[in-house]
Amino acid sequence: MAITRSLDNGYQFKNMKQKGIKDFDRFVNETVGKGLTISQTNKLFLRAQGPSEHILLDGEVRKILHYGKDRTTFRIFGYYDDKDYFCIHRVDPNHTVHRSN
Protein backbone atom coordinates (compact mmCIF):
# COMPACT_ATOMS: atom_id res chain seq x y z
CA MET A 1 0.00 0.00 0.00
CA ALA A 2 1.07 3.54 -0.65
CA ILE A 3 -0.20 7.06 -0.26
CA THR A 4 1.03 8.89 -3.34
CA ARG A 5 -1.18 11.97 -3.24
CA SER A 6 -3.54 13.75 -0.86
CA LEU A 7 -6.51 11.62 0.09
CA ASP A 8 -9.91 12.51 -1.34
CA ASN A 9 -11.49 15.46 0.45
CA GLY A 10 -13.70 14.34 3.34
CA TYR A 11 -12.12 10.88 3.46
CA GLN A 12 -8.82 11.71 5.13
CA PHE A 13 -7.28 10.64 8.40
CA LYS A 14 -8.19 13.97 9.99
CA ASN A 15 -11.87 13.11 9.45
CA MET A 16 -11.67 9.77 11.27
CA LYS A 17 -12.74 9.07 14.80
CA GLN A 18 -10.80 6.73 17.09
CA LYS A 19 -12.72 3.65 15.88
CA GLY A 20 -11.87 4.43 12.24
CA ILE A 21 -8.18 4.77 13.07
CA LYS A 22 -8.26 1.41 14.86
CA ASP A 23 -10.08 -0.18 11.91
CA PHE A 24 -7.45 1.19 9.50
CA ASP A 25 -4.68 -0.19 11.72
CA ARG A 26 -6.44 -3.57 11.83
CA PHE A 27 -6.73 -3.62 8.02
CA VAL A 28 -3.00 -2.85 7.63
CA ASN A 29 -2.10 -5.57 10.13
CA GLU A 30 -4.32 -8.13 8.38
CA THR A 31 -2.89 -7.38 4.92
CA VAL A 32 0.57 -5.80 4.86
CA GLY A 33 1.38 -7.07 8.35
CA LYS A 34 0.75 -10.65 7.24
CA GLY A 35 2.62 -10.22 3.95
CA LEU A 36 -0.41 -11.03 1.81
CA THR A 37 -0.05 -10.94 -1.95
CA ILE A 38 -2.42 -8.87 -4.09
CA SER A 39 -4.31 -12.05 -5.00
CA GLN A 40 -4.68 -13.08 -1.36
CA THR A 41 -5.80 -9.58 -0.36
CA ASN A 42 -8.33 -9.50 -3.20
CA LYS A 43 -9.73 -12.87 -2.20
CA LEU A 44 -10.20 -11.84 1.42
CA PHE A 45 -11.08 -8.13 1.23
CA LEU A 46 -12.04 -6.93 -2.28
CA ARG A 47 -15.61 -5.63 -2.45
CA ALA A 48 -16.69 -6.38 -6.02
CA GLN A 49 -20.43 -5.77 -5.89
CA GLY A 50 -22.00 -2.74 -7.51
CA PRO A 51 -20.91 -0.64 -10.47
CA SER A 52 -17.25 -0.02 -11.12
CA GLU A 53 -15.87 3.45 -10.53
CA HIS A 54 -13.34 5.19 -12.76
CA ILE A 55 -11.91 8.62 -12.01
CA LEU A 56 -9.40 10.95 -13.61
CA LEU A 57 -6.34 11.45 -11.40
CA ASP A 58 -3.29 13.37 -12.56
CA GLY A 59 -4.30 12.95 -16.20
CA GLU A 60 -4.92 9.20 -16.00
CA VAL A 61 -8.18 7.31 -15.70
CA ARG A 62 -7.93 4.99 -12.71
CA LYS A 63 -10.24 2.15 -11.74
CA ILE A 64 -11.12 2.60 -8.08
CA LEU A 65 -11.34 -0.58 -6.02
CA HIS A 66 -12.56 -0.85 -2.50
CA TYR A 67 -11.57 -3.20 0.25
CA GLY A 68 -13.29 -4.14 3.46
CA LYS A 69 -13.92 -7.17 5.60
CA ASP A 70 -17.15 -9.09 5.71
CA ARG A 71 -20.05 -6.87 6.72
CA THR A 72 -18.06 -4.22 8.56
CA THR A 73 -18.54 -0.65 7.37
CA PHE A 74 -14.80 0.17 7.14
CA ARG A 75 -13.59 0.59 3.55
CA ILE A 76 -10.40 1.68 1.85
CA PHE A 77 -10.71 2.94 -1.72
CA GLY A 78 -7.81 3.14 -4.12
CA TYR A 79 -6.21 2.03 -7.34
CA TYR A 80 -3.16 0.10 -8.50
CA ASP A 81 -0.40 2.23 -10.00
CA ASP A 82 2.11 1.28 -12.69
CA LYS A 83 4.36 -0.37 -10.07
CA ASP A 84 1.44 -2.48 -8.70
CA TYR A 85 1.21 -0.51 -5.48
CA PHE A 86 -2.27 -0.08 -4.10
CA CYS A 87 -2.54 3.70 -3.79
CA ILE A 88 -5.03 4.76 -1.15
CA HIS A 89 -7.49 7.37 -2.43
CA ARG A 90 -10.10 7.40 0.35
CA VAL A 91 -10.36 6.02 3.86
CA ASP A 92 -14.04 5.54 4.62
CA PRO A 93 -14.58 4.04 8.09
CA ASN A 94 -18.38 4.27 7.84
CA HIS A 95 -18.83 3.34 4.17
CA THR A 96 -20.51 6.63 3.34
CA VAL A 97 -18.83 7.27 -0.02
CA HIS A 98 -21.13 7.86 -2.98
CA ARG A 99 -19.75 6.66 -6.28
CA SER A 100 -19.52 9.15 -9.09
CA ASN A 101 -20.50 6.64 -11.82
Side-chain angles (χ1 to χ4, degrees):
M1 280 195 283
I3 298 174
T4 59
R5 58 191 327 274
S6 294
L7 298 180
D8 199 24
N9 195 20
Y11 297 96
Q12 302 162 335
F13 294 111
K14 69 181 181 179
N15 303 107
M16 290 196 308
K17 296 187 185 319
Q18 186 70 23
K19 182 182 181 318
I21 293 167
K22 287 181 179 181
D23 289 342
F24 177 77
D25 185 61
R26 185 176 306 113
F27 180 81
V28 171
N29 285 333
E30 291 178 356
T31 56
V32 178
K34 290 187 177 179
L36 298 184
T37 65
I38 293 170
S39 296
Q40 291 169 322
T41 300
N42 285 346
K43 183 176 180 182
L44 293 172
F45 298 99
L46 181 64
R47 312 305 296 170
Q49 296 177 352
S52 62
E53 178 182 11
H54 294 82
I55 61 172
L56 185 64
L57 291 172
D58 301 325
E60 285 192 54
V61 174
R62 301 286 188 172
K63 180 179 182 180
I64 300 295
L65 304 170
H66 68 283
Y67 291 87
K69 188 170 184 182
D70 302 324
R71 295 198 133 321
T72 63
T73 58
F74 182 81
R75 298 289 188 268
I76 293 179
F77 291 76
Y79 57 91
Y80 284 97
D81 70 4
D82 299 335
K83 297 177 185 176
D84 288 332
Y85 282 101
F86 179 72
C87 300
I88 299 172
H89 178 64
R90 294 181 203 119
V91 178
D92 186 2
N94 300 309
H95 199 204
T96 59
V97 74
H98 299 286
R99 294 177 182 215
S100 57
N101 58 352

